[in-house]
Amino acid sequence: MTPEKTNPLKFALTTPLYYVNGVPHIGSAYTTMIADVIARHKRLRGEKILLITGTDEHGQKIQRTAQEKGIPPQEHCDQMVASFESLWDKLDIQYDRFSRTTAPRHQAIVNEFWQRVEKNDDIYLAQQQGWYCVPCEEFKEKRELLENGCCPLHPNKKAEWRDEENYFFRLSKYQEKLEELYQKNPQFIEPESRRNEVINFVSQGLQDFSISRVNVEWGFPVPGNPKHTIYVWFDALLAYVTALLEPEQDPTLENALAHWWPINLHLIGKDILRFHAVYWPAMLMSAKLPLPQKIFGHGFLTKDGQKMGKSLGNTLDPFKLVDNYGADGLRYYFLKEIECGKDGDFNETRFVNILNADLANDLGNLLNRTLGMIQKYCQGSLSALTAADLPQGHTLKTIGLDLGERVIKTYETLKFNEGCEEILTLIRAGNKFIDEQAPWRLYKEGKQSEVERILYAVLESVRLAAYLLAPIIPNLSGKIYQQLGFSIDFNQGDRLAQIAPFNHHSQWGKITANQNLPKPQPIFAKLELPSEESS
């Protein structure tokens, strides 16, 4: 079975459904920022978008965490969900659906899917023996464990021996179909390193996997056998489907899959690649449903070159970061400084230096000084210049003419770091151009038209850069646009395609002339590193 072709003007994407054993961490924020940037770019281009995020709330780990806190599991989940929603709001994440696995409608979808797979003879009852990692909610091979009996992802939590009756899914039955899928559709898993990892895993031979647990109360009971609880991953993956239901619809697979399925992009961290790129397509094949178009697994984040962890005491608090530096600063750093798909590092000194150099100095200062010169030399407005008034071969015009097309390609291929560098090339050229052309000198020589052409070209460079960066730094781009005389807020979602049509604004030479421009206001204040005393 191959991924179904999808309407290019309609695009559905998902973040993972985050596990609520604790408050959101920087890794969850990173994935969600990427997803939001993709969605904003496509909305800007007039595409109909559905961005799904949410939470995975069942399983033994949640049950135990709630017991330790002395509260019911649902109360714990509600508290954690509130923290996720709060962080997404702080980061300006414009999601369309928030899917929770404890939602009553979700149980109906899970039950119907289970029965479909069971009818296809892909579920059977057998004895399960093995080492179970509770934090991973996954059985591990003995060879996968460290010498201390812990799994590598949770080196301080010993795997537990289990010997119990479970329901199993016939994953082995889909070995050849999965291998055929990966071969015929190399774009199904990206980047290539993740694809190779999955192909290598599958080539070693697939084993049927357990899809139920006993002695776990927190979850949905297996249809027809309430002594068993449906395995958390079998349940959670289906929340992508439940999220597609409209509020007034009955919770059936037919209704859920009618409009937005198949999903165009599942965006995940590489630690849950196996569940999404192996188990999930096999489950869908069993239920005879179309497959998602693409699974993209991004890398891990480190801090100061070291793996982050509570035991190391070096975790990054995303709430504190956004409170200290603002949403746009975080979004810019993580999208520009980390190649999507590879591991990336956060260093606070580097973070501050990058934001100051790119946003405060290069972009912000160029806007500020140019508007200042327009006030000083042009009485606050430019004459009716257009891009046609600039000669062929003009330094900034040459860069700007096809910049939009180049940046579109980077957004579409998730190469955000390259897109940011393309845009910065124009901004840095603008700073160099204004220094070399020295409009202050030309003004003294009475060459007013030359002064205006220089300032027009630089201001248009700033406008174009702001528009192309809007999916990443929507608030800063909005401030720039407003200082250029546009009444545009880049947080206006689906309305943006009408207010600021992409085919117009992504092109060079669209700045409005012959209007009064305001006195410049700083768009991004220079950042200071927190003092050691306050950190």
Side-chain angles (χ1 to χ4, degrees), residues 13 15-16 18 25-41 51 53 87-88 90-94 267 298 301 318 321-322 326-335 338 340 346 351 411 416 471-474:
L13 71 160
T15 72
Y18 300 108
H25 52 72
I26 195 65
S28 309
Y30 176 55
T31 318
T32 311
M33 287 188 286
I34 296 171
D36 185 66
V37 168
I38 296 168
R40 283 175 178 267
H41 167 71
L51 171 54
T53 188
L87 184 59
W88 296 170
K90 283 176 174 284
L91 289 170
D92 294 313
I93 306 300
Q94 294 186 329
L267 188 66
H298 67 70
L301 299 178
L321 281 175
V322 75
D328 279 17
L330 258 69
R331 294 166 67 101
Y332 183 79
Y333 179 87
F334 283 104
L335 273 292
I338 297 172
C340 193
F346 179 90
F351 170 82
Y411 276 114
F416 311 107
I472 299 174
I473 50 170

Side-chain angles (χ1 to χ4, degrees), residues 143-312:
R143 58 185 168 81
E144 293 181 275
L145 301 178
L146 302 174
E147 288 184 7
N148 65 356
C150 301
C151 98
L153 292 174
H154 302 96
N156 297 310
K157 299 280 187 181
K158 284 187 179 293
E160 302 174 7
W161 178 256
R162 299 286 171 85
D163 185 355
E164 60 189 39
E165 188 181 57
N166 288 168
Y167 283 94
F168 282 77
F169 172 72
R170 295 188 195 276
L171 182 64
S172 58
K173 174 179 172 181
Y174 295 93
Q175 167 113 21
E176 290 184 10
K177 289 183 179 179
L178 287 169
E179 288 176 327
E180 182 182 356
L181 168 68
Y182 307 145
Q183 182 193 1
K184 289 186 175 179
N185 300 277
Q187 80 289 344
F188 180 68
I189 305 169
E190 289 186 353
E192 189 178 1
S193 57
R194 302 284 109 78
R195 177 174 175 267
N196 292 338
E197 182 183 328
V198 168
I199 289 172
N200 181 57
F201 171 76
V202 173
S203 70
Q204 296 176 37
L206 292 176
Q207 304 294 318
D208 297 348
F209 73 96
S210 164
I211 55 171
S212 76
R213 299 287 179 267
V214 293
N215 303 318
V216 177
E217 297 174 4
W218 189 238
F220 296 140
V222 166
N225 190 348
K227 292 180 181 179
H228 289 255
T229 299
I230 294 175
Y231 174 44
V232 61
W233 271 103
F234 195 93
D235 158 4
L237 288 164
L238 286 161
Y240 296 135
V241 175
T242 306
L244 304 178
L245 287 166
E246 298 298 333
E248 71 282 356
Q249 286 183 312
D250 291 331
T252 66
L253 283 173
E254 182 181 8
N255 285 339
L257 301 171
H259 184 62
W260 285 101
W261 191 265
I263 298 293
N264 297 80
L265 173 65
H266 285 308
L267 188 66
I268 60 169
K270 65 180 180 180
D271 54 322
I272 53 175
L273 179 65
R274 190 182 303 177
F275 296 104
H276 286 79
V278 181
Y279 297 176
W280 183 222
M283 288 162 57
L284 291 167
M285 288 174 182
S286 174
K288 297 178 171 53
L289 296 176
L291 306 187
Q293 191 175 17
K294 189 186 300 291
I295 315 287
F296 190 99
H298 67 70
F300 287 151
L301 299 178
T302 55
K303 182 183 178 185
D304 302 326
Q306 287 189 314
K307 182 180 176 181
M308 284 185 274
K310 292 179 182 177
S311 59
L312 297 172

Side-chain angles (χ1 to χ4, degrees), residues 43-44 488-501:
R43 286 194 195 103
L44 207 55
I488 291 173
D489 177 356
F490 285 104
N491 288 311
Q492 288 181 293
D494 292 336
R495 291 189 62 227
L496 271 175
Q498 287 77 47
I499 299 168

Side-chain angles (χ1 to χ4, degrees), residues 50 59 88 212 266 279 283 333 352 370 380-381 429 434 438 447 465 505:
L50 188 76
W88 296 170
S212 76
H266 285 308
Y279 297 176
M283 288 162 57
Y333 179 87
V352 167
T370 307
S381 69
I434 206 166
K447 299 177 180 178
H505 284 257

